[in-house]
Amino acid sequence: MSSSCAVLPSARTELFNPVHESRFIAPTRPFQCNRSKCVMSRRGFAFRGVAASGLSVVGSSLTTQPVEGVERLPFKPEGYNFWTWRGHKIHYVVQGEGPPVVLIHGFGASAFHWRYNIPELAKKYKVYAIDLLGFGWSEKALIEYDAMVWRDQVVDFVNEIVKEPTVLVGNSLGGFTALVAAAGLPEQVIGVALLNSAGQFGNPNSEAEKSEEETALQRFILKPLKEIFQRVILGFLFWQAKQPARVESVLKSVYKNTSNVDDYLVESITMPAADPNAGEVYYRLMTQFMTNQTKYTLDSVLSKMSCPLLLVWGDLDPWVGPAKANRIKEFYPNTTLVNLQAGHCPHDEVPELVNRALLDWLSTSTSEAEAEASLQTV
């Protein structure tokens, strides 16, 4: 739940915990950097609870004080900027001037989850933060949700709004979206940064599923009954997941330092639920998107990439632990790894450390990309 969700217990384990670890030793320094090969896992494709697609707005008793010494993006209930994509309204934030950087939130979150990163990065870069379709302030479209929908959205956003070579930065689901978008834009994406990214590796030992012809019993009786049962159960789960107290509880389970779990964060997650389509989007995400993840593997996506990759990993993440980051390093050679003592959303939990890691890496990766482009032009 990239900061966002309240999820099915079974989905949590399946989606976020492909590698089961009994314990690990966390680094004692604030963060450490390494370069090497990389690989990602695909079982962390979405967050544990989907307070995602929209929730109800109810006041909370949490504090709203910003992190001391870190500038925070002002919260605007009406949103910032909107772009029409394939007939759907897409929300995004843009600040600063310089080389572009696009921030992509995780499952259930929004552009506001980058509240402590946008102002700092915007001092040197032109920063965009986009709400994926079905989330945040973007339209709750009644479509068939699939990872490639968000890939196409980001690809078109880069082509139509950004209009120049850019770096993509994503947390959780947004991380996998950044990867597949980068694979589809090899010339426009000059770098990718992943923060506790979702995604799974393919299993070479698994046999391809054999499709069987449906019987009349399955088609006309069992499938309709299954859908009715799913709607009843997921309807209740959506009602439960959208409660501010539930959102706060889930957030505190993945933020090791819970001081940043405040009114601003909770409201940025629950407010989209006012949309009348929020419940149906939740249902479609849980029954369609969640069950179709096996079609896309991290190894197949990473094998198509050539740009620099940064991993900023909260090693205390209960869903996507450091083993996943290490595996990515073993697969993809052009990688820098930064380990942090944080949970699933390091950019919001320890923003000052994430901002420093991003700025250090961006200064190197963007300058190298510009130099290479100059050589190619000459």
Side-chain angles (χ1 to χ4, degrees):
M1 143 187 149
S2 163
S3 120
S4 53
C5 324
V7 161
L8 301 158
S10 58
R12 299 177 182 178
T13 303
E14 176 68 17
L15 298 172
F16 286 90
N17 236 348
V19 180
H20 298 285
E21 301 167 300
S22 57
R23 64 189 179 90
F24 64 85
I25 300 175
T28 55
R29 293 188 296 169
F31 60 76
Q32 300 175 326
C33 297
N34 303 291
R35 275 206 175 200
S36 182
K37 285 180 140 193
C38 237
V39 163
M40 231 167 99
S41 142
R42 171 188 175 192
R43 273 197 178 190
F45 214 65
F47 285 125
R48 262 202 248 201
V50 190
S53 28
L55 313 162
S56 66
V57 186
V58 180
S60 115
S61 60
L62 300 173
T63 62
T64 58
Q65 293 300 314
V67 175
E68 186 176 353
V70 182
E71 188 177 350
R72 186 173 71 177
L73 178 75
F75 182 76
K76 291 187 177 181
E78 71 278 14
Y80 277 78
N81 307 282
F82 292 90
W83 162 60
T84 300
W85 177 70
R86 297 183 180 179
H88 303 300
K89 188 172 71 170
I90 302 298
H91 173 251
Y92 69 97
V93 176
V94 58
Q95 287 193 359
E97 293 297 333
V101 175
V102 177
L103 308 177
I104 310 170
H105 64 80
F107 199 92
S110 70
F112 289 111
H113 203 202
W114 302 99
R115 55 185 174 163
Y116 291 118
N117 314 108
I118 294 172
E120 187 65 24
L121 297 177
K123 294 175 182 178
K124 292 187 177 180
Y125 299 91
K126 188 168 187 177
V127 182
Y128 297 86
I130 186 172
D131 282 358
L132 297 176
L133 187 67
F135 296 105
W137 275 247
S138 285
E139 185 175 334
K140 307 301 176 291
L142 301 183
I143 63 168
E144 303 302 308
Y145 283 92
D146 181 272
M148 298 304 103
V149 169
W150 297 312
R151 176 203 62 183
D152 294 346
Q153 178 189 342
V154 172
V155 165
D156 290 345
F157 184 79
V158 171
N159 286 332
E160 297 179 22
I161 301 298
V162 181
K163 297 181 181 179
E164 57 182 310
T166 187
V167 171
L168 302 180
V169 180
N171 169 236
S172 195
L173 172 65
F176 187 80
T177 301
L179 281 178
V180 292
L185 287 172
E187 295 184 0
Q188 291 100 315
V189 177
I190 59 175
V192 175
L194 306 178
L195 288 72
N196 292 64
S197 180
Q200 250 177 310
F201 282 105
N203 183 358
N205 298 320
S206 64
E207 296 181 4
E209 295 183 4
K210 298 179 181 179
S211 60
E212 299 179 359
E213 187 175 347
E214 284 186 326
T215 65
L217 177 65
Q218 291 173 322
R219 181 179 303 173
F220 299 111
I221 298 179
L222 298 182
K223 286 186 68 175
L225 285 175
K226 178 182 177 182
E227 181 176 347
I228 292 172
F229 178 75
Q230 287 177 327
R231 283 192 175 278
V232 171
I233 297 300
L234 290 174
F236 171 75
L237 290 175
F238 176 69
W239 174 84
Q240 183 184 54
K242 71 182 183 179
Q243 304 306 316
R246 174 60 175 165
V247 174
E248 178 187 346
S249 174
V250 175
L251 286 169
K252 287 184 174 180
S253 75
V254 292
Y255 276 54
K256 293 308 172 183
N257 175 2
T258 60
S259 61
N260 282 5
V261 179
D262 55 14
D263 279 334
Y264 181 123
L265 180 60
V266 171
E267 187 172 5
S268 74
I269 293 167
T270 59
M271 195 168 181
D275 191 289
N277 289 341
E280 179 63 21
V281 170
Y282 180 93
Y283 173 79
R284 295 185 182 207
L285 286 167
M286 295 304 294
T287 58
Q288 297 170 11
F289 164 64
M290 296 292 197
T291 58
N292 290 329
Q293 297 176 42
T294 53
K295 295 191 295 184
Y296 315 109
T297 62
L298 285 170
D299 38 329
S300 65
V301 175
L302 288 167
S303 64
K304 298 175 184 176
M305 287 179 46
S306 58
C307 64
L309 178 65
L310 171 68
L311 304 178
V312 180
W313 221 263
D315 282 351
L316 306 181
D317 186 347
W319 299 339
V320 187
K324 187 175 188 178
N326 293 332
R327 204 179 163 198
I328 295 174
K329 281 189 56 183
E330 295 169 0
F331 187 88
Y332 193 77
N334 192 10
T335 298
T336 300
L337 172 61
V338 175
N339 298 99
L340 299 175
Q341 294 295 284
H344 188 64
C345 309
H347 58 297
D348 194 57
E349 187 176 343
V350 286
E352 64 284 359
L353 298 182
V354 171
N355 289 339
R356 188 195 314 170
L358 285 171
L359 288 169
D360 288 347
W361 178 77
L362 284 167
S363 65
T364 302
S365 62
T366 55
S367 61
E368 289 177 352
E370 290 172 355
E372 183 177 345
S374 299
L375 290 174
Q376 290 177 350
T377 303
V378 175

